């Protein structure tokens, strides 16, 4: 049974505003792919929009250009090995979903593949065509049309990370297959003025 619950679109940017490594899913017809991306961020709150760097030579970009949509899944620490694997293999050579035993569901709005197992959240995204930015900087912009998160780590519009949900803490790629896990959350206190 899924622990994912819908995230209000006004809170969707919070799913990626701390810079986690993400899994980008794409599909067109019978073709599908998944890749890891280290550079994504929110760029607008209403409507929610994100920017993500996806190299123009990748199979993922080809599928996104053909379909006009993609998924952004936020892997937890339990998915470090999978994240590294899909980030180092080409979807032109293998179906990574089959090769790595990845189970996905279809997004209800755009039909993109979405992953919940070992992930903290996902976003369904509609590509916003920006040919110059895509060509010059490999940066794609998209509107988030739906989002959901595992209620054990994200609820009421906020992250809640503690030892009870450590396997779902988001990850951050440091290079060479090394990842840092988001943890040690601290609440800021008001300073006297």
């Amino acid at each position: 049974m899924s622990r994912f619950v819908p995230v209000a679109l006004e809170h969707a940017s919070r799913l990626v505003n701390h810079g986690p490594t993400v899994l980008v899913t794409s599909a067109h017809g019978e073709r599908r792919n998944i890749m890891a991306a280290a550079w994504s961020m929110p760029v607008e709150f209403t409507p929610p929009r994100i920017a993500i760097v996806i190299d123009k030579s990748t199979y993922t970009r080809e599928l996104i250009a053909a379909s006009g949509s993609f998924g952004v899944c936020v892997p937890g620490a339990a998915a470090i090995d999978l994240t590294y694997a899909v980030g180092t293999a080409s979807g032109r050579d293998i179906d990574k979903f089959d090769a790595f035993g990845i189970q996905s569901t279809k997004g209800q709005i755009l039909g993109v593949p979405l992953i919940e197992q070992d992930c903290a959240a996902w976003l369904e995204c509609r590509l916003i065509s920006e040919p110059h930015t895509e060509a010059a900087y490999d940066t794609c912009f998209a509107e988030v049309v739906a989002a959901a998160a595992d209620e054990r780590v994200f609820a009421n519009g906020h992250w809640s990370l503690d030892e009870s949900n450590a396997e779902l803490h988001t990850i951050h790629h440091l290079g060479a297959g090394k990842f840092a896990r988001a943890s040690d959350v601290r609440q800021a206190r008001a300073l006297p003025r």
Side-chain angles (χ1 to χ4, degrees):
M1 181 172 118
S2 176
R3 301 287 300 258
F4 274 61
V5 295
V7 170
L9 289 180
E10 64 262 21
H11 299 306
S13 65
R14 294 178 183 172
L15 298 173
V16 294
N17 71 347
H18 61 296
T21 296
V22 297
L23 301 174
V24 180
T25 60
S26 54
H28 182 67
E30 296 300 312
R31 302 181 304 157
R32 62 185 179 168
N33 197 36
I34 180 172
M35 64 168 273
W39 298 334
S40 66
M41 64 180 210
V43 293
E44 201 167 332
F45 299 113
T46 306
R49 293 184 176 154
I50 65 167
I52 189 163
V53 175
I54 305 170
D55 188 281
K56 67 182 79 36
S57 67
T58 63
Y59 188 49
T60 294
R61 274 284 291 276
E62 180 181 318
L63 295 177
I64 291 171
S67 68
S69 61
F70 59 94
V72 173
C73 303
V74 182
I80 286 174
D81 294 339
L82 175 68
T83 302
Y84 186 68
V86 301
T88 56
S90 172
R92 291 188 197 282
D93 302 328
I94 59 171
D95 180 323
K96 293 189 249 183
F97 286 89
D98 289 341
F100 299 115
I102 302 168
Q103 296 179 354
S104 66
T105 59
K106 281 190 174 190
Q108 292 182 350
I109 296 178
L110 302 174
V112 298
L114 299 170
I115 302 162
E116 294 185 353
Q117 183 177 347
D118 296 332
C119 286
W122 55 253
L123 302 94
E124 244 188 310
C125 302
R126 180 178 293 119
L127 182 67
I128 299 169
S129 180
E130 291 287 344
H132 171 72
T133 305
E134 292 169 19
Y137 308 109
D138 288 327
T139 301
C140 298
F141 290 93
E143 181 176 345
V144 178
V145 298
D150 188 309
E151 62 189 348
R152 293 173 291 179
V153 289
F154 190 91
N156 302 315
H158 297 283
W159 287 100
S160 177
L161 305 175
D162 59 39
E163 284 307 310
S164 73
N165 56 26
E167 289 300 302
L168 292 173
H169 291 190
T170 60
I171 57 177
H172 306 264
H173 191 239
L174 304 176
K178 292 182 174 64
F179 292 83
R181 180 183 66 148
S183 58
D184 192 27
V185 176
R186 298 178 187 196
Q187 178 65 51
R189 60 183 175 83
L191 295 177
R193 294 183 187 189

